[in-house]
Amino acid sequence: MAIKPVSVSMLNEYIGKLISTDPLLCNVVVKGEITSIKYHGTGHVYFSISDNKSKINCFLAKQRAMNLTEMLSDGDEVILTGSVSVYQKGGYYSLNVTGIEIEGEGALAAEFAKIKARLEKEGLFDSKHKKRLPEFPKHIGVVTSETGAAVKDILAIIQARTKLTNVSIFPVSVQGDRASSEISHMIDFLSDTRSEDIDLLIVGRGGGSPEDLMVFNSEELARSIYACNIPVISAVGHEIDFTIADFVADVRAETPTAAAELAVPDMKLLYEKINKLHEDISLNLSNRLMYDDIRIKNIYDSISHILTNKIQSYENTLNRLALLLSENNPRAILERGYSILSDEKGMPIANVSKLKIEASYKLNLSDGSADCKIYNISEDVNYGR
């Protein structure tokens, strides 16, 4: 005879009754590290406690939260007393906390701090080792889960911002015991074999609980990112908390979406910027040409004015010299009744000591000349005084 099926609610109700009547689960003491703590507006506190293999959700009612002597924080190592209950509508169980004992910093937080301090001392976080992201990457590699929301967000953003970049997905596990090693080995492989054709790597996942993000606190993964020949953007998807991968990566993005925006330029905005620059350059060039045209015209007018004045000055000088030459022209002197006596060679004779009796000379007048001979010479010492 077939077993009669029951409804989901009936099954959850039955499981709830079994748990609520179990003497061990009604008063259990459990030790773990607080993660994902949230103080709700109602006064209740919601959080999880975990070890390196598992976790359980916890609920601390407002009345008990008011009795806390210190604030609970992620990373606190605590010993909780409480009872396990089933939330029938959601089909999950949680620990209803009735007592809390804080032991100090949890193992996960302590390990994180230890790794961080060691790598920081070695210089893996120094900005001088950070590689510059390419402005216009031709090929981007994405190291993440091929089925997660992160890869969809990254592809959507990159394709919306540019059509000039190729994207290759290199699938890895992003949670579980082997996830950090798998991601590390993939980065090593890409660094060794694809650094020539891949310009940039985006490594991460789409958020998750602190336990999920512990994958990216691995020292092995940190060293692979540091040694990678390709620039790396960490995109773990947790805006508040930093992972070790965030510190060692060349650039940290708060989310996969932000990583995609950092990785490629928005070509639409770039084209708008180029057009604006073109307009500004055209306007500046037009203004410059107009300014230079005015300046050249002013220089031309100034030179023209200077040259005109120079020419006028030279003309005045030439006119004065012409007048002076005209006034001192021998022919003009001859026209006033004077004459010039010259010897046979045409050399003018200025005084009587040069004359000889019976010698022939030429007498130059204003309208001609006449040959003459000297018959008598008289010297007058007072002549011309």
Side-chain angles (χ1 to χ4, degrees):
M1 183 178 177
I3 299 176
K4 183 180 179 181
V6 297
S7 64
V8 174
S9 58
M10 289 176 65
L11 178 60
N12 281 341
E13 183 180 359
Y14 178 75
I15 294 173
K17 287 180 179 180
L18 288 177
I19 290 177
S20 64
T21 56
D22 186 295
L24 178 61
L25 298 180
C26 287
N27 187 27
V28 64
V29 179
V30 59
K31 180 179 179 179
E33 183 176 333
I34 292 179
T35 61
S36 305
I37 190 165
K38 180 179 180 182
Y39 289 84
H40 198 270
T42 59
H44 303 316
V45 182
Y46 299 89
F47 58 95
S48 300
I49 59 170
S50 63
D51 54 24
N52 59 355
K53 294 183 178 180
S54 188
K55 73 172 183 176
I56 183 174
N57 294 329
C58 302
F59 169 76
L60 181 63
K62 175 182 178 181
Q63 293 79 5
R64 299 186 185 279
M66 293 172 62
N67 296 326
L68 289 173
T69 57
E70 58 182 292
M71 185 175 179
L72 300 177
S73 302
D74 284 346
D76 287 344
E77 186 80 12
V78 293
I79 297 176
L80 303 180
T81 302
S83 59
V84 178
S85 60
V86 175
Y87 179 57
Q88 295 183 16
K89 186 175 180 180
Y92 61 84
Y93 67 91
S94 63
L95 182 66
N96 189 356
V97 179
T98 57
I100 299 178
E101 180 183 346
I102 301 176
E103 287 202 328
E105 186 180 52
L108 296 178
E111 182 65 15
F112 175 88
K114 182 179 177 181
I115 294 173
K116 182 175 179 291
R118 181 166 56 249
L119 297 182
E120 188 171 17
K121 184 177 180 180
E122 292 182 26
L124 270 67
F125 304 158
D126 288 353
S127 59
K128 65 182 179 182
H129 298 308
K130 306 293 185 185
K131 292 179 284 295
R132 186 177 179 181
L133 302 186
E135 266 190 287
F136 302 98
K138 296 179 180 179
H139 190 183
I140 294 176
V142 181
V143 180
T144 188
S145 169
E146 62 182 337
T147 59
V151 69
K152 296 177 182 177
D153 292 342
I154 290 171
L155 289 174
I157 294 297
I158 291 177
Q159 290 169 0
R161 291 170 70 88
T162 180
K163 306 298 182 187
L164 304 178
T165 301
N166 294 322
V167 180
S168 296
I169 309 301
F170 299 97
V172 291
S173 299
V174 293
Q175 62 184 40
D177 295 339
R178 298 180 55 83
S180 60
S181 292
E182 192 174 331
I183 298 171
S184 176
H185 293 159
M186 179 61 77
I187 292 173
D188 293 341
F189 170 76
L190 295 174
S191 176
D192 293 338
T193 64
R194 301 294 298 275
S195 61
E196 294 297 323
D197 70 302
I198 294 180
D199 304 309
L200 179 65
L201 286 181
I202 297 175
V203 179
R205 58 165 294 151
S209 67
E211 294 80 18
D212 295 330
L213 303 185
M214 284 301 295
V215 168
F216 295 90
N217 289 328
S218 158
E219 182 172 348
E220 179 187 14
L221 176 57
R223 294 189 182 281
S224 292
I225 293 174
Y226 176 78
C228 185
N229 295 317
I230 307 169
V232 176
I233 298 177
S234 67
V236 178
H238 205 276
E239 297 183 10
I240 300 175
D241 296 327
F242 281 73
T243 65
I244 299 295
D246 291 327
F247 288 112
V248 76
D250 297 298
V251 174
R252 183 243 181 186
E254 295 178 344
T255 62
T257 297
E261 292 173 347
L262 286 171
V264 295
D266 189 329
M267 298 306 293
K268 182 180 179 181
L269 295 179
L270 191 59
Y271 287 140
E272 290 176 357
K273 186 176 180 180
I274 291 173
N275 290 334
K276 181 65 168 58
L277 287 173
H278 181 269
E279 292 174 1
D280 291 343
I281 291 172
S282 297
L283 179 60
N284 290 336
L285 183 59
S286 176
N287 290 338
R288 183 69 190 187
L289 289 174
M290 187 175 295
Y291 168 78
D292 288 343
D293 184 60
I294 294 172
R295 189 165 175 266
I296 290 171
K297 187 177 183 303
N298 290 336
I299 293 173
Y300 174 81
D301 291 342
S302 178
I303 292 174
S304 296
H305 180 69
I306 292 171
L307 290 177
T308 299
N309 290 339
K310 282 285 185 184
I311 292 171
Q312 187 63 50
S313 175
Y314 291 147
E315 286 181 351
N316 293 338
T317 300
L318 287 173
N319 289 335
R320 287 198 306 272
L321 293 174
L323 179 61
L324 184 61
L325 287 172
S326 176
E327 291 175 347
N328 291 277
N329 188 348
R331 187 172 295 280
I333 294 173
L334 294 177
E335 288 177 350
R336 292 201 296 270
Y338 295 94
S339 60
I340 298 174
L341 185 65
S342 59
D343 60 17
E344 293 176 346
K345 295 180 180 180
M347 299 299 293
I349 298 174
N351 50 65
V352 295
S353 63
K354 303 290 185 181
L355 297 175
K356 295 178 181 179
I357 299 298
E358 297 296 329
S360 297
Y361 297 93
K362 180 174 286 188
L363 187 65
N364 296 292
L365 302 170
S366 64
D367 56 352
S369 62
D371 294 330
C372 61
K373 185 176 288 188
I374 300 299
Y375 295 100
N376 182 43
I377 300 174
S378 60
E379 185 174 355
D380 186 357
V381 295
N382 294 318
Y383 181 78
R385 290 184 179 179

